[in-house]
Amino acid sequence: MIQLIAKRLGIMVLTMLVVSIILFLALELNIESVAIKVLGPYSSDEQRQFWLEANGYTRPVLERYLSWAGNFMMGDFGESVRFRVPVSDILWDRLSNTLILAAATFGIMIPLSILLGILSGMKEGSFLDRVISLICIITTSIPEFASAVFLSAIFVFSLKWLPGTSSMLMGFDVMQLILPAMVLIGYGFGYVARMTRASMAEVMATHYIRTAVLKGLPYHKVIFKHALRNALIAPFTIIMLQINWLLSGVIVVEYAFAYKGFGALLLEASLNNDVYLIEACTMVAVCAAVLTQLIADIGYSYLNPRIRFS
Amino acid sequence: MKKNNKHRYVKQLEGEVKSGQTSRREFLRKSVLLGMSIPVAYGLTGLSMSESVFADNAKKGGNFRVSMRVQEMSDPALFEWSYPSNVARHVIEPLVQMGNDGLARPKLLESWQASDDLKTWTLNLRQNVTWSNGDEFIADDVIFNINRWLDPKTGSSMQSQLISLTHEVDTGEKNDDGSTKMSRVAMPGAVKRIDKHTVQLTLNKADIAIPEALSSFTALIVNRNFTGDFSSNPVGTGAFELVNIEVGVSAILKRRADGLYWGGDALLDQITYVDLGDDTSVDLAAYVSDQIDYSYQVSADQVQAYETIPFIELLSAKSATTGIARMNVTQKPFDDVRVRRAVALAVDNERVLTIGYQDLGSIAENHHVSPIHPEYAPLPKLSRNIDKAKALLAQAGYPNGIDLVIDCSASPSWQTNTCLAIADQVRAAGINLRVNIMPGGSYWDVWNTTPFGLTEWNHRPLGVQVLNLAYRTGAPWNETGYANPEFDRLLDQALTILDAKERSKVVLKLEKILQDDAVMVQPFWLNSYSAVNKRVKNVVLHPSFEHDFNKVWIDA
C-alpha cells in the first residue's frame, strides 16, 4: 500500500509539474500581454517596460518559470490585478466557502444517492425501482441554472422560507446555504444513484449472491456483507469525480445565488484577465483533481483486493 | 454668491424671465451656473425645490444595504464607472454636486463666481470643513487635486473636462511618423491660490461647463497628502468613513465617529454595499428575502416584476443615459466611413427601442445629444434605408455583404437585447453581425479598444460635456478614436456660449457632423429605474445613478 501511495504521489507531482509548465507558458510567455493585464489598457509603453524590468520579466523564460514555481510552492501567488491584494488573501477564503458548500452537499447527496441506488438496484424493475429511476432522471436532466430559478420561485418568492441570495454578508448563515445545496444535490444525486443502481443490479444477478440467498443467509446480510462492497466499486469513481465538480464546477450555482466561492472567483478571474489569480485557481483545481484520484486509487484497492497497481 | 457680486448676465436673465423670453427652468440653470445660490434662484422663479430634506420624524440609526458592484477604488481621479464613485462619495466629496433636478450645487464650495467673460472662475471654499485625519480643508487641497487631474501622467478623464485650463507643449520626443510629440499640461498660473479658502481658475477660453465638470464622478476631492491609494488610506471630508472594502464582495461605510462633518451628522449608522454580481434578477430575490434595501439599478425588463412587490417602491427618472453602438474609426473595417454609414442606415432606431428596451425610453438620433440637454437641436428624422446601405457596402468593397462582431456586456440585459435587435436589423443589408456577449467586468476591459461595441454612457447635464468627453480628438474617453479638427473647433466655440438657444445653433452642426460621419448607432435614451424598500425614506433616484445617502433614514 505504501508503495502504491508513493507511486501515486510521484505521478501527482509529475502531473502538476506538467500542468504548471503549460499554464505558465500559456499565460506568461508573452510578457507584453502580462504587463497589459496588470497595468491595464491605458498604460504607456514606458510604464509597461518599467514594470517588466522591476518584476524580473526580462529574464530568460526558464529562469522565470523556476522563480515562479518556487514562489508558488512557498505560497506566494502574486497580487491579484482585480482585487489589488495578494492572491492568497482571497483564495483560501473563497476555497473554504466552497468547501463548506461542498461538504453540505456531499454530506446529504452521497448517503441519499447510495441509499436510493441500493433500494432501486436490489429489485430491478420493481415499482420502487421505477419511481426512484424516474426521480433521478428528472432531477439530473434539469440544468442547475433552471433548478435554481424553480427552487427560488418556490422557496423564496412563494413560500418565503429561504433567503434569495447567499452572499453571507452578515456572517455565516446556514439558511443561505440551503438553496445552493439543494440545487447541487438535485443535479448530482440522480447520477450517483443511477450508477449505484446499475452496479447493484449487476451484483445482485451474480452467482455468489444467488448462492448466498439459497444457502439461507438473512437478506440484509446478503446485501450488506456480500453485495454492497462490490456494488460500490463503480459508483466510487463517480463519487470521487463529484468532489472535483463540487470544488471547481459549481460556477453556475455560485453565480445564481451570489455565493462567494471558489467557482465564482475562478469565473471572475477569467473574465477580468487576472493572470495570477487564474494561475493560482487553476493549480488548486488541478491539485484537487489529482488528490481525489489518489484517494480513489487507494479506495479501489480497499474495496477490491484483486486490484493491484503493480 | 453675494448680492453685490451678481453676474451681469444674471441681471439680464432676470429681465428676460420677467418678459417671458427665457423659461424659468432655463433661468434656474444659467443663474445657478453663474454662481447664484439655489434657494435664491428658486425663489426668483417661484418654482419649488425638489431637493431632499430632513423630515421632522426622521430617525437616526440603521444599516442601509445597497446592492451594487464593488470595484477596486485606489485612485478616484481614475474611476471609469460610477460604482466606486458612489462608495467614495460618502467619504470624499466633490466641490460641486449635481442635484436630481439637473442643477449644480456647491458641496465643498460655499459658492463660485464667474467673470463677465466666463474666463475667470473664483471658487470660494467652505470654511468649516475638517478632514477625518484632523487637517483643515483649504485651498491647497483643491489646487493639489486640480493639478493632479490636469497632469497627463495621472491619465484622468478630468483633463478633457477642464481642457480650457491646459495647453499643449512639446515633449521633446518624436512620434512614429517623425512629427513632434505634444503633450497637454496645465497652463502656468491657471490654478491660483488667492487665500486660504479661495482658488481662482484662469481659463484660456470661456467655458460654461466648469461647475458641471467639477461635479463629475471623477472629481472627488482627496486630501492634499494623497499618495495614490484611497482604499488603504481613506481620509475624507464626508459624513462617513470607509471601514472595509473587499472588491467583488462588499464595502462598509460607518457614520463619521468624530462628529466633525460640516453638514451635520448623517442619520444612518452604516451603509453596506454588497456585490451580488452581474445578474440583476439576484437583486429581486434579495429584495423579497429582505437582504437588501436598495439597488443601483433595475433593468427595464424587470420593471413589471418589481411593481408586483408591495413593500418596494419603484423609482424612475428621465435621463440622458444611453447605450451607443460605437465604431472605432481607426480600426478596419470601420476606418471606412461607407461601412459605418451602411451600418447606421440599416438600423431602425424605433424598432430597436421596442425590442431592446420595451419602449421604456425615447428615440435617439446617432449623435449623443439628448432632447433633455438644454442645447439640443432637432435634426430631420432618421430613416432606415437598406438599398442605400447595400450600395455603400458595395462601394466599400463588400458587394456580397460583410461579417462584423459587436461586443457588449451581458448585464444589464437591455444591452444584449439592443445588440441582438441591431444584428437583426442589419441582416437585411447583408451585414452578418455576431453579438459577442461579455459579462460586465470583461467588457470594461475592452470598451475603448474594441472595433465595435455597445457602451453605456451615463447621464450628464450638458450635451457639450458628453461631446467633449467622448468625441474630442485625443480625449481619454474617446472610445471611437474620432479625430476631426472641425468638430473640435465647433466644440470649443459651443463651450463659450452661455445662452442655450445660441449654443444649440453650434451644437446642431456638431450633431450633423457626428451623424454624417456615422461614428455610432445610438438607438435610444434610457429612463433610469431603481427600487427601494418603503421603510427607507428620503431616497431619490439621481439620473446618473449617483448616490448620496447623507439624508437617508430608515423608519424601523
Side-chain angles (χ1 to χ4, degrees):
Chain A
M1 182 63 82
I2 292 169
Q3 199 182 357
L4 166 76
I5 294 172
K7 194 174 174 184
R8 285 288 150 190
L9 278 173
I11 293 171
M12 178 180 153
V13 170
L14 193 66
T15 308
M16 294 203 60
L17 188 71
V18 172
V19 171
S20 71
I21 292 170
I22 295 170
L23 188 67
F24 181 81
L25 293 178
L27 292 175
E28 297 205 29
L29 186 62
N30 182 349
I31 57 172
E32 184 69 14
S33 159
V34 177
I36 292 170
K37 283 170 184 163
V38 173
L39 299 175
Y42 300 114
S43 53
S44 64
D45 290 343
E46 291 83 358
Q47 281 176 305
R48 289 173 200 163
Q49 196 54 40
F50 178 76
W51 184 87
L52 289 169
E53 282 167 17
N55 289 278
Y57 274 87
T58 48
R59 292 175 297 167
V61 177
L62 181 63
E63 198 182 328
R64 283 197 290 124
Y65 170 73
L66 292 174
S67 165
W68 173 83
N71 289 339
F72 225 90
M73 282 188 281
M74 299 300 289
D76 177 6
F77 306 135
E79 187 176 277
S80 161
V81 177
R82 175 159 168 74
F83 296 89
R84 302 283 175 193
V85 292
V87 168
S88 53
D89 286 5
I90 325 159
L91 185 65
W92 304 123
D93 277 355
R94 293 294 191 100
L95 192 60
S96 62
N97 286 346
T98 293
L99 283 172
I100 292 168
L101 178 60
T105 305
F106 210 72
I108 296 169
M109 183 177 80
I110 298 304
L112 181 72
S113 52
I114 289 177
L115 177 68
L116 292 177
I118 291 168
L119 287 174
S120 191
M122 269 165 36
K123 285 185 180 170
E124 197 179 5
S126 64
F127 177 73
L128 183 65
D129 175 32
R130 289 181 184 185
V131 170
I132 292 171
S133 293
L134 185 68
I135 292 170
C136 290
I137 290 167
I138 290 173
T139 55
T140 306
S141 305
I142 301 173
E144 293 146 292
F145 66 85
S147 53
V149 173
F150 293 149
L151 292 174
S152 291
I154 297 167
F155 293 103
V156 179
F157 290 92
S158 297
L159 300 173
K160 302 188 192 307
W161 287 354
L162 295 171
T165 66
S166 308
S167 61
M168 306 282 177
L169 187 65
M170 303 300 171
F172 181 75
D173 176 7
V174 72
M175 293 297 283
Q176 293 187 27
L177 209 56
I178 295 175
L179 265 181
M182 275 170 81
V183 172
L184 292 172
I185 292 166
Y187 186 68
F189 99 93
Y191 190 37
V192 181
R194 291 287 292 166
M195 286 299 292
T196 310
R197 177 203 170 274
S199 186
M200 190 70 185
E202 193 182 327
V203 170
M204 291 302 286
T206 56
H207 294 303
Y208 72 90
I209 294 293
R210 195 170 55 180
T211 306
V213 174
L214 290 176
K215 80 177 184 182
L217 272 180
Y219 197 62
H220 70 272
K221 275 195 177 174
V222 175
I223 297 296
F224 288 106
K225 201 170 176 184
H226 298 285
L228 194 55
R229 185 164 165 173
N230 287 316
L232 282 180
I233 295 173
F236 188 68
T237 313
I238 303 302
I239 291 167
M240 285 297 113
L241 288 175
Q242 300 295 309
I243 297 176
N244 275 333
W245 167 64
L246 285 172
L247 279 183
S248 50
V250 294
I251 294 170
V252 172
V253 171
E254 291 188 349
Y255 185 76
F257 294 105
Y259 188 78
K260 305 298 176 189
F262 181 71
L265 183 69
L266 185 56
L267 176 72
E268 201 152 359
S270 308
L271 296 178
N272 292 284
N273 293 322
D274 198 335
V275 57
Y276 303 125
L277 194 51
I278 294 171
E279 287 171 352
C281 288
T282 308
M283 289 308 289
V284 166
V286 172
C287 186
V290 292
L291 267 177
T292 50
Q293 191 56 53
L294 177 69
I295 296 166
D297 287 346
I298 297 167
Y300 283 148
S301 65
Y302 170 74
L303 288 169
N304 188 352
R306 286 175 302 177
I307 297 174
R308 293 286 180 265
F309 296 92
S310 55
Chain B
M1 187 182 172
K2 289 166 192 156
K3 198 173 179 181
N4 57 353
N5 284 338
K6 195 184 282 181
H7 194 281
R8 70 172 168 82
Y9 190 70
V10 172
K11 292 171 194 163
Q12 182 188 325
L13 281 172
E14 284 176 14
E16 286 179 7
V17 84
K18 278 176 192 159
S19 64
Q21 287 175 278
T22 295
S23 71
R24 288 187 296 175
R25 180 59 58 184
E26 179 62 12
F27 170 78
L28 266 178
R29 208 194 64 75
K30 285 179 188 167
S31 58
V32 170
L33 268 179
L34 292 170
M36 180 175 278
S37 76
I38 298 263
V40 172
Y42 268 102
L44 284 170
T45 60
L47 289 169
S48 64
M49 281 176 71
S50 59
E51 195 177 15
S52 58
V53 291
F54 286 115
D56 290 340
N57 58 343
K59 291 171 186 163
K60 208 167 180 179
N63 177 15
F64 186 42
R65 301 158 304 170
V66 183
S67 164
M68 189 184 77
R69 296 311 311 260
V70 176
Q71 295 184 338
E72 180 272 324
M73 44 191 281
S74 51
D75 190 343
L78 300 179
F79 288 164
E80 292 175 359
W81 197 235
S82 45
Y83 301 132
S85 165
N86 279 344
V87 178
R89 193 176 294 104
H90 296 93
V91 183
I92 45 176
E93 300 169 296
L95 295 173
V96 177
Q97 188 163 34
M98 193 58 60
N100 302 313
D101 51 8
L103 297 178
R105 293 163 160 75
K107 186 79 174 182
L108 281 179
L109 295 184
E110 203 165 71
S111 64
W112 63 79
Q113 292 152 274
S115 64
D116 287 351
D117 64 358
L118 298 171
K119 284 186 174 178
T120 306
W121 291 76
T122 306
L123 310 178
N124 304 309
L125 277 56
R126 284 190 190 279
Q127 298 195 17
N128 58 341
V129 178
T130 310
W131 290 94
S132 55
N133 65 356
D135 290 351
E136 186 188 359
F137 171 65
I138 52 172
D140 295 354
D141 292 304
V142 176
I143 293 167
F144 169 80
N145 277 271
I146 297 178
N147 282 334
R148 214 173 151 263
W149 298 336
L150 300 180
D151 186 344
K153 286 179 196 154
T154 308
S156 173
S157 62
M158 284 303 293
Q159 198 204 50
S160 59
Q161 297 200 62
L162 297 173
I163 197 161
S164 45
L165 289 170
T166 65
H167 67 162
E168 287 201 316
V169 292
D170 184 349
T171 59
E173 296 171 27
K174 298 282 181 192
N175 290 314
D176 292 342
D177 60 2
S179 58
T180 307
K181 194 170 186 179
M182 304 296 283
S183 179
R184 188 166 278 281
V185 297
M187 290 185 303
V191 187
K192 201 161 69 181
R193 183 187 201 271
I194 301 299
D195 60 41
K196 198 177 174 187
H197 293 105
T198 312
V199 175
Q200 193 177 69
L201 306 180
T202 307
L203 284 54
N204 54 19
K205 56 180 180 282
D207 186 351
I208 52 162
I210 293 295
E212 270 108 351
L214 295 177
S215 73
S216 301
F217 67 77
T218 42
L220 300 173
I221 299 294
V222 294
N223 184 274
R224 54 189 174 273
N225 296 317
F226 178 72
T227 52
D229 189 357
F230 173 72
S231 308
S232 61
N233 188 23
V235 176
T237 56
F240 290 86
E241 291 172 323
L242 181 67
V243 176
N244 185 48
I245 176 164
E246 200 177 337
V247 176
V249 179
S250 65
I252 297 172
L253 299 153
K254 291 207 169 181
R255 187 172 52 231
R256 193 166 158 172
D258 60 11
L260 292 176
Y261 181 56
W262 59 267
D265 275 355
L267 293 171
L268 296 165
D269 284 342
Q270 182 174 318
I271 302 169
T272 304
Y273 281 96
V274 51
D275 189 333
L276 296 179
D278 279 338
D279 186 359
T280 50
S281 63
V282 175
D283 282 350
L284 189 61
Y287 271 116
V288 172
S289 47
D290 197 21
Q291 291 179 296
I292 57 169
D293 302 304
Y294 185 63
S295 59
Y296 174 80
Q297 186 175 14
V298 167
S299 65
D301 56 0
Q302 292 185 341
V303 163
Q304 283 186 323
Y306 275 87
E307 282 172 340
T308 63
I309 304 171
F311 58 87
I312 295 293
E313 183 186 355
L314 190 69
L315 307 172
S316 70
K318 271 205 176 300
S319 79
T321 302
T322 185
I324 57 163
R326 96 295 178 282
M327 293 164 266
N328 190 306
V329 301
T330 65
Q331 299 190 46
K332 285 192 179 302
F334 303 109
D335 55 346
D336 188 333
V337 69
R338 291 169 297 189
V339 174
R340 302 198 304 267
R341 281 185 188 150
V343 173
L345 278 168
V347 179
D348 177 355
N349 287 355
E350 197 168 349
R351 186 81 188 125
V352 178
L353 170 63
T354 304
I355 298 169
Y357 204 55
Q358 292 88 51
D359 282 324
L360 289 169
S362 52
I363 301 169
E365 298 157 333
N366 300 353
H367 55 59
H368 214 156
V369 181
S370 161
I372 67 171
H373 286 140
E375 65 272 69
Y376 167 79
L379 288 175
K381 196 179 176 219
L382 293 173
S383 57
R384 190 179 183 218
N385 191 332
I386 296 296
D387 291 338
K388 200 171 172 187
K390 281 182 176 172
L392 281 167
L393 278 181
Q395 285 171 27
Y398 305 100
N400 300 317
I402 186 171
D403 291 339
L404 299 174
V405 179
I406 184 166
D407 291 329
C408 74
S409 177
S411 174
S413 57
W414 66 262
Q415 297 186 10
T416 310
N417 296 340
T418 298
C419 286
L420 291 170
I422 290 174
D424 188 48
Q425 294 270 304
V426 297
R427 197 173 297 122
I431 300 169
N432 179 28
L433 181 62
R434 186 170 70 81
V435 180
N436 178 32
I437 301 167
M438 308 166 78
S442 57
Y443 179 74
W444 292 107
D445 287 340
V446 300
W447 75 281
N448 58 348
T449 53
T450 180
F452 195 13
L454 187 123
T455 305
E456 180 177 351
W457 275 82
N458 267 357
H459 166 97
R460 283 177 179 79
L462 298 182
V464 284
Q465 272 186 298
V466 186
L467 301 183
N468 204 31
L469 267 177
Y471 307 101
R472 179 184 285 282
T473 306
W477 285 7
N478 183 341
E479 56 178 335
T480 59
Y482 189 63
N484 182 340
E486 174 63 6
F487 180 88
D488 294 346
R489 189 188 66 76
L490 286 168
L491 189 55
D492 285 341
Q493 189 186 338
L495 283 166
T496 64
I497 305 170
L498 184 68
D499 184 81
K501 270 186 194 163
E502 285 303 309
R503 193 162 69 246
S504 72
K505 291 174 188 167
V506 182
V507 168
L508 180 113
K509 294 176 191 169
L510 292 165
E511 293 174 358
K512 191 81 176 61
I513 289 174
L514 286 177
Q515 263 193 4
D516 290 346
D517 283 349
V519 180
M520 75 196 95
V521 175
Q522 188 205 1
F524 52 83
W525 301 99
L526 280 78
N527 282 352
S528 303
Y529 292 100
S530 187
V532 65
N533 191 307
K534 283 179 179 169
R535 68 166 170 258
V536 182
K537 309 294 179 190
N538 235 1
V539 176
V540 185
L541 178 61
H542 193 280
S544 304
F545 297 104
E546 282 186 10
H547 291 178
D548 181 348
F549 301 136
N550 287 1
K551 293 176 182 175
V552 168
W553 57 281
I554 298 173
D555 194 6

